[in-house]
Amino acid sequence: MRSTRVIPSRRFTIHSWMCVAFLFISIGFAKASQASSLTHMASLEAAAVLASDPPQAADAKAPEPENGWFNQGKTALFLWIIFVGLAVTVSVAMAKRGRPMKIRRIAALEAVDNAVGRATEMGRAILFVPGIQDMDNIQTVAGLTMLGRVAKTAAEYDATIEVPTSRSLVMEAARDVVRASYLSAGRPDGFSNDRINYITDEQFGYVAHVAGYMVREKPATCFYMGCFYAESLIFAETGNAIGAIQIAGTAESSQLPFFVAACDYTLIGEEFFAASAYLSGEPAQLGTLRGQDAGKLAVMVMVVLGAIVATIVARSPDSTGAAGVLDFLYKMVGG
């Protein structure tokens, strides 16, 4: 019995070694044939180059790469990153320790409670449009933050809020936000999934649905918070036609004139992103906002200082010191 068990294993071992040896021999031949073919091709290419332009090909040398630890051309950008990072870190730490962070008054955010109260008094719904982009757009995230505040106020006032969305992920996120707002307001029974719907990904199909809803139901208050393109004027004009109070917010500079012209209140540019910190009052968001403002203030100071130094250099071109300061400021601000 032992011999019958050993012999197959020895055969297997011999066969395995034979296969491995054959594999190495095959690879070796393949490498050799590949190397010979590559050498032959290289010799043919070299001969062709020498035949076409012998002197330049003989003198040509491949450029040698230069390695380095730091790109000195990005020194200004590196310093700005360090400065803004330190400003944000220090500001967040100060906010967490209880130091008050003052944020200037934003009229559009002050009007949220009045707009929701107006809808409650009129017995009509509140329409909230969180833009037409998906959750990978930062404006959509900022819009959902605003939705949480509006939904909480609507829950406290027992008002109805409708949220049509153009992305399925936005619909799910909006449902979670509104559900959490109703829970925090102590009104979990007032929440309904049916008021937060997915319409379509098509831009003007979504616009047609929202505009039709506005004409049929005539909501008392309309919020447009998110990323908007060509539909911004259609929404704003339709809301204006039905007499709704309208509050808009977007970072799309090309759409801001339409909202400013047709809406009652508009969050312009970075006011839209600061709204979440303004409404929530969380130390992390307040500290981040203050740190970013410190970076902007530093840039403004350098720009003003650069204008003064440039004027001095223009009046007295022989001033080498002023020219050096101007060059430094130009590199810092211009990168």
Side-chain angles (χ1 to χ4, degrees), residues 270-310:
E270 294 191 352
E271 288 182 352
F272 180 45
F273 299 111
S276 59
Y278 186 93
L279 295 175
S280 65
E282 294 183 359
Q285 295 189 22
L286 291 175
T288 303
L289 184 64
R290 188 172 183 272
Q292 294 175 358
D293 287 344
K296 297 171 190 173
L297 178 62
V299 172
M300 292 172 62
V301 170
M302 286 191 175
V303 169
V304 173
L305 185 60
I308 296 173
V309 175

Short mmCIF file of all heavy atoms in Angstrom, two decimals, residues 270-310:
data_model
loop_
_atom_site.label_atom_id
_atom_site.label_comp_id
_atom_site.label_asym_id
_atom_site.label_seq_id
_atom_site.Cartn_x
_atom_site.Cartn_y
_atom_site.Cartn_z
N GLU A 270 -21.37 83.62 -1.86
CA GLU A 270 -20.93 82.92 -0.66
C GLU A 270 -21.89 83.08 0.51
O GLU A 270 -21.74 82.38 1.51
CB GLU A 270 -19.54 83.40 -0.28
CG GLU A 270 -18.50 83.01 -1.31
CD GLU A 270 -17.10 83.24 -0.80
OE1 GLU A 270 -16.98 83.85 0.27
OE2 GLU A 270 -16.16 82.83 -1.48
N GLU A 271 -22.83 84.00 0.41
CA GLU A 271 -23.87 84.05 1.45
C GLU A 271 -24.64 82.74 1.50
O GLU A 271 -25.11 82.32 2.55
CB GLU A 271 -24.83 85.20 1.15
CG GLU A 271 -24.27 86.58 1.39
CD GLU A 271 -25.28 87.67 1.13
OE1 GLU A 271 -26.37 87.35 0.61
OE2 GLU A 271 -24.97 88.83 1.43
N PHE A 272 -24.76 82.12 0.33
CA PHE A 272 -25.48 80.85 0.27
C PHE A 272 -24.77 79.76 1.07
O PHE A 272 -25.40 78.99 1.78
CB PHE A 272 -25.61 80.46 -1.20
CG PHE A 272 -26.35 79.17 -1.44
CD1 PHE A 272 -27.53 78.90 -0.78
CD2 PHE A 272 -25.86 78.23 -2.31
CE1 PHE A 272 -28.21 77.72 -0.99
CE2 PHE A 272 -26.54 77.06 -2.53
CZ PHE A 272 -27.72 76.79 -1.86
N PHE A 273 -23.43 79.72 0.97
CA PHE A 273 -22.68 78.71 1.72
C PHE A 273 -22.55 79.07 3.20
O PHE A 273 -22.40 78.20 4.05
CB PHE A 273 -21.29 78.53 1.10
CG PHE A 273 -21.33 78.08 -0.32
CD1 PHE A 273 -20.95 78.91 -1.35
CD2 PHE A 273 -21.78 76.81 -0.63
CE1 PHE A 273 -21.01 78.49 -2.66
CE2 PHE A 273 -21.85 76.38 -1.94
CZ PHE A 273 -21.46 77.23 -2.95
N ALA A 274 -22.56 80.37 3.49
CA ALA A 274 -22.48 80.79 4.89
C ALA A 274 -23.81 80.60 5.61
O ALA A 274 -23.86 80.69 6.84
CB ALA A 274 -22.07 82.26 4.97
N ALA A 275 -24.87 80.34 4.86
CA ALA A 275 -26.19 80.21 5.48
C ALA A 275 -26.25 79.04 6.45
O ALA A 275 -26.87 79.13 7.50
CB ALA A 275 -27.26 80.04 4.40
N SER A 276 -25.58 77.94 6.10
CA SER A 276 -25.62 76.77 6.99
C SER A 276 -24.98 77.11 8.33
O SER A 276 -25.50 76.73 9.39
CB SER A 276 -24.91 75.60 6.33
OG SER A 276 -23.56 75.93 6.04
N ALA A 277 -23.84 77.83 8.31
CA ALA A 277 -23.20 78.24 9.57
C ALA A 277 -24.06 79.26 10.30
O ALA A 277 -24.17 79.24 11.53
CB ALA A 277 -21.82 78.81 9.29
N TYR A 278 -24.69 80.15 9.55
CA TYR A 278 -25.54 81.19 10.14
C TYR A 278 -26.74 80.58 10.85
O TYR A 278 -27.11 80.99 11.95
CB TYR A 278 -26.00 82.13 9.03
CG TYR A 278 -26.77 83.33 9.50
CD1 TYR A 278 -26.12 84.53 9.76
CD2 TYR A 278 -28.14 83.28 9.66
CE1 TYR A 278 -26.83 85.65 10.17
CE2 TYR A 278 -28.86 84.38 10.08
CZ TYR A 278 -28.20 85.57 10.34
OH TYR A 278 -28.91 86.66 10.75
N LEU A 279 -27.35 79.59 10.22
CA LEU A 279 -28.57 79.00 10.78
C LEU A 279 -28.29 77.98 11.87
O LEU A 279 -28.99 77.92 12.87
CB LEU A 279 -29.38 78.34 9.66
CG LEU A 279 -29.94 79.29 8.60
CD1 LEU A 279 -30.60 78.51 7.49
CD2 LEU A 279 -30.92 80.27 9.23
N SER A 280 -27.24 77.16 11.67
CA SER A 280 -26.98 76.09 12.62
C SER A 280 -26.29 76.60 13.89
O SER A 280 -26.58 76.14 14.99
CB SER A 280 -26.13 75.00 11.96
OG SER A 280 -24.85 75.52 11.63
N GLY A 281 -25.32 77.53 13.72
CA GLY A 281 -24.57 78.02 14.88
C GLY A 281 -23.59 77.01 15.44
O GLY A 281 -23.13 77.16 16.57
N GLU A 282 -23.25 75.98 14.66
CA GLU A 282 -22.30 74.97 15.14
C GLU A 282 -20.89 75.56 15.17
O GLU A 282 -20.47 76.28 14.26
CB GLU A 282 -22.33 73.75 14.22
CG GLU A 282 -23.64 73.01 14.27
CD GLU A 282 -23.62 71.77 13.40
OE1 GLU A 282 -22.56 71.54 12.77
OE2 GLU A 282 -24.62 71.05 13.35
N PRO A 283 -20.11 75.24 16.23
CA PRO A 283 -18.76 75.82 16.34
C PRO A 283 -17.85 75.46 15.17
O PRO A 283 -17.07 76.31 14.72
CB PRO A 283 -18.24 75.20 17.65
CG PRO A 283 -19.46 74.85 18.42
CD PRO A 283 -20.48 74.45 17.41
N ALA A 284 -17.93 74.24 14.66
CA ALA A 284 -17.06 73.85 13.56
C ALA A 284 -17.33 74.68 12.31
O ALA A 284 -16.41 75.18 11.65
CB ALA A 284 -17.24 72.36 13.27
N GLN A 285 -18.60 74.87 11.99
CA GLN A 285 -18.95 75.65 10.80
C GLN A 285 -18.63 77.13 10.99
O GLN A 285 -18.14 77.80 10.08
CB GLN A 285 -20.43 75.46 10.47
CG GLN A 285 -20.79 74.04 10.08
CD GLN A 285 -22.22 73.93 9.55
OE1 GLN A 285 -22.79 74.91 9.11
NE2 GLN A 285 -22.78 72.74 9.59
N LEU A 286 -18.91 77.66 12.19
CA LEU A 286 -18.60 79.06 12.45
C LEU A 286 -17.09 79.31 12.38
O LEU A 286 -16.63 80.31 11.83
CB LEU A 286 -19.15 79.47 13.81
CG LEU A 286 -20.68 79.52 13.94
CD1 LEU A 286 -21.07 79.80 15.38
CD2 LEU A 286 -21.26 80.58 13.02
N GLY A 287 -16.30 78.41 12.97
CA GLY A 287 -14.85 78.57 12.94
C GLY A 287 -14.29 78.46 11.53
O GLY A 287 -13.38 79.21 11.15
N THR A 288 -14.83 77.55 10.73
CA THR A 288 -14.39 77.42 9.34
C THR A 288 -14.70 78.68 8.55
O THR A 288 -13.87 79.17 7.77
CB THR A 288 -15.07 76.21 8.68
OG1 THR A 288 -14.78 75.04 9.46
CG2 THR A 288 -14.58 76.01 7.27
N LEU A 289 -15.89 79.22 8.77
CA LEU A 289 -16.27 80.46 8.07
C LEU A 289 -15.36 81.62 8.47
O LEU A 289 -14.90 82.39 7.62
CB LEU A 289 -17.73 80.79 8.41
CG LEU A 289 -18.35 81.99 7.70
CD1 LEU A 289 -18.42 81.73 6.20
CD2 LEU A 289 -19.74 82.26 8.26
N ARG A 290 -15.04 81.73 9.76
CA ARG A 290 -14.17 82.81 10.23
C ARG A 290 -12.75 82.64 9.68
O ARG A 290 -12.10 83.62 9.30
CB ARG A 290 -14.15 82.82 11.75
CG ARG A 290 -13.44 84.01 12.36
CD ARG A 290 -13.64 84.00 13.87
NE ARG A 290 -13.04 85.15 14.50
CZ ARG A 290 -11.77 85.19 14.92
NH1 ARG A 290 -11.00 84.13 14.77
NH2 ARG A 290 -11.30 86.28 15.48
N GLY A 291 -12.24 81.40 9.63
CA GLY A 291 -10.90 81.17 9.09
C GLY A 291 -10.81 81.52 7.61
O GLY A 291 -9.82 82.12 7.16
N GLN A 292 -11.83 81.18 6.85
CA GLN A 292 -11.83 81.55 5.43
C GLN A 292 -11.90 83.06 5.25
O GLN A 292 -11.25 83.61 4.35
CB GLN A 292 -13.02 80.88 4.74
CG GLN A 292 -12.92 79.37 4.68
CD GLN A 292 -14.16 78.73 4.10
OE1 GLN A 292 -15.13 79.41 3.77
NE2 GLN A 292 -14.15 77.41 3.97
N ASP A 293 -12.68 83.73 6.10
CA ASP A 293 -12.74 85.19 6.02
C ASP A 293 -11.39 85.82 6.36
O ASP A 293 -11.04 86.87 5.80
CB ASP A 293 -13.82 85.72 6.97
CG ASP A 293 -15.22 85.42 6.45
OD1 ASP A 293 -15.34 85.10 5.25
OD2 ASP A 293 -16.18 85.51 7.24
N ALA A 294 -10.63 85.19 7.26
CA ALA A 294 -9.30 85.71 7.57
C ALA A 294 -8.39 85.64 6.34
O ALA A 294 -7.62 86.56 6.06
CB ALA A 294 -8.70 84.93 8.73
N GLY A 295 -8.49 84.54 5.58
CA GLY A 295 -7.71 84.43 4.34
C GLY A 295 -8.11 85.49 3.32
O GLY A 295 -7.26 86.10 2.67
N LYS A 296 -9.41 85.73 3.19
CA LYS A 296 -9.87 86.76 2.24
C LYS A 296 -9.41 88.15 2.68
O LYS A 296 -9.03 88.98 1.84
CB LYS A 296 -11.39 86.72 2.15
CG LYS A 296 -11.93 85.42 1.60
CD LYS A 296 -13.44 85.36 1.75
CE LYS A 296 -13.96 83.98 1.42
NZ LYS A 296 -15.39 83.85 1.71
N LEU A 297 -9.45 88.41 4.00
CA LEU A 297 -9.01 89.71 4.49
C LEU A 297 -7.52 89.92 4.20
O LEU A 297 -7.10 91.03 3.81
CB LEU A 297 -9.27 89.81 5.99
CG LEU A 297 -8.82 91.11 6.67
CD1 LEU A 297 -9.56 92.30 6.08
CD2 LEU A 297 -9.04 91.03 8.18
N ALA A 298 -6.72 88.86 4.36
CA ALA A 298 -5.29 88.98 4.07
C ALA A 298 -5.05 89.30 2.60
O ALA A 298 -4.19 90.12 2.25
CB ALA A 298 -4.58 87.69 4.47
N VAL A 299 -5.81 88.66 1.71
CA VAL A 299 -5.67 88.95 0.28
C VAL A 299 -6.06 90.39 -0.03
O VAL A 299 -5.38 91.08 -0.81
CB VAL A 299 -6.52 87.95 -0.54
CG1 VAL A 299 -6.54 88.35 -2.01
CG2 VAL A 299 -5.98 86.54 -0.39
N MET A 300 -7.14 90.86 0.58
CA MET A 300 -7.56 92.25 0.35
C MET A 300 -6.50 93.24 0.81
O MET A 300 -6.22 94.23 0.13
CB MET A 300 -8.89 92.50 1.07
CG MET A 300 -10.07 91.73 0.50
SD MET A 300 -11.56 91.88 1.51
CE MET A 300 -11.86 93.63 1.42
N VAL A 301 -5.90 92.97 1.97
CA VAL A 301 -4.85 93.87 2.47
C VAL A 301 -3.67 93.89 1.51
O VAL A 301 -3.10 94.95 1.20
CB VAL A 301 -4.42 93.42 3.88
CG1 VAL A 301 -3.17 94.18 4.31
CG2 VAL A 301 -5.55 93.66 4.87
N MET A 302 -3.28 92.73 0.99
CA MET A 302 -2.15 92.68 0.06
C MET A 302 -2.47 93.39 -1.25
O MET A 302 -1.60 94.03 -1.85
CB MET A 302 -1.77 91.22 -0.22
CG MET A 302 -1.04 90.56 0.93
SD MET A 302 -0.33 88.98 0.47
CE MET A 302 0.56 88.60 1.97
N VAL A 303 -3.72 93.29 -1.71
CA VAL A 303 -4.09 93.96 -2.95
C VAL A 303 -4.02 95.48 -2.78
O VAL A 303 -3.49 96.21 -3.63
CB VAL A 303 -5.50 93.52 -3.39
CG1 VAL A 303 -6.01 94.40 -4.52
CG2 VAL A 303 -5.48 92.06 -3.85
N VAL A 304 -4.57 95.98 -1.65
CA VAL A 304 -4.51 97.42 -1.39
C VAL A 304 -3.07 97.89 -1.24
O VAL A 304 -2.65 98.92 -1.80
CB VAL A 304 -5.34 97.76 -0.14
CG1 VAL A 304 -5.16 99.22 0.24
CG2 VAL A 304 -6.81 97.45 -0.37
N LEU A 305 -2.28 97.12 -0.48
CA LEU A 305 -0.87 97.47 -0.31
C LEU A 305 -0.12 97.44 -1.64
O LEU A 305 0.73 98.31 -1.91
CB LEU A 305 -0.23 96.51 0.70
CG LEU A 305 1.22 96.80 1.10
CD1 LEU A 305 1.31 98.17 1.76
CD2 LEU A 305 1.74 95.73 2.06
N GLY A 306 -0.46 96.47 -2.48
CA GLY A 306 0.17 96.39 -3.79
C GLY A 306 -0.17 97.58 -4.66
O GLY A 306 0.68 98.09 -5.40
N ALA A 307 -1.42 98.06 -4.57
CA ALA A 307 -1.81 99.25 -5.35
C ALA A 307 -1.02 100.47 -4.90
O ALA A 307 -0.56 101.28 -5.72
CB ALA A 307 -3.31 99.48 -5.21
N ILE A 308 -0.82 100.61 -3.58
CA ILE A 308 -0.06 101.76 -3.06
C ILE A 308 1.41 101.68 -3.50
O ILE A 308 1.99 102.67 -3.96
CB ILE A 308 -0.17 101.80 -1.52
CG1 ILE A 308 -1.63 102.03 -1.11
CG2 ILE A 308 0.74 102.87 -0.95
CD1 ILE A 308 -1.86 101.93 0.38
N VAL A 309 2.00 100.48 -3.37
CA VAL A 309 3.42 100.33 -3.75
C VAL A 309 3.60 100.52 -5.26
O VAL A 309 4.59 101.11 -5.71
CB VAL A 309 3.93 98.95 -3.30
CG1 VAL A 309 5.37 98.73 -3.79
CG2 VAL A 309 3.89 98.83 -1.79
N ALA A 310 2.64 100.04 -6.05
CA ALA A 310 2.73 100.23 -7.51
C ALA A 310 2.67 101.70 -7.87
O ALA A 310 3.35 102.17 -8.80
CB ALA A 310 1.59 99.47 -8.19
#
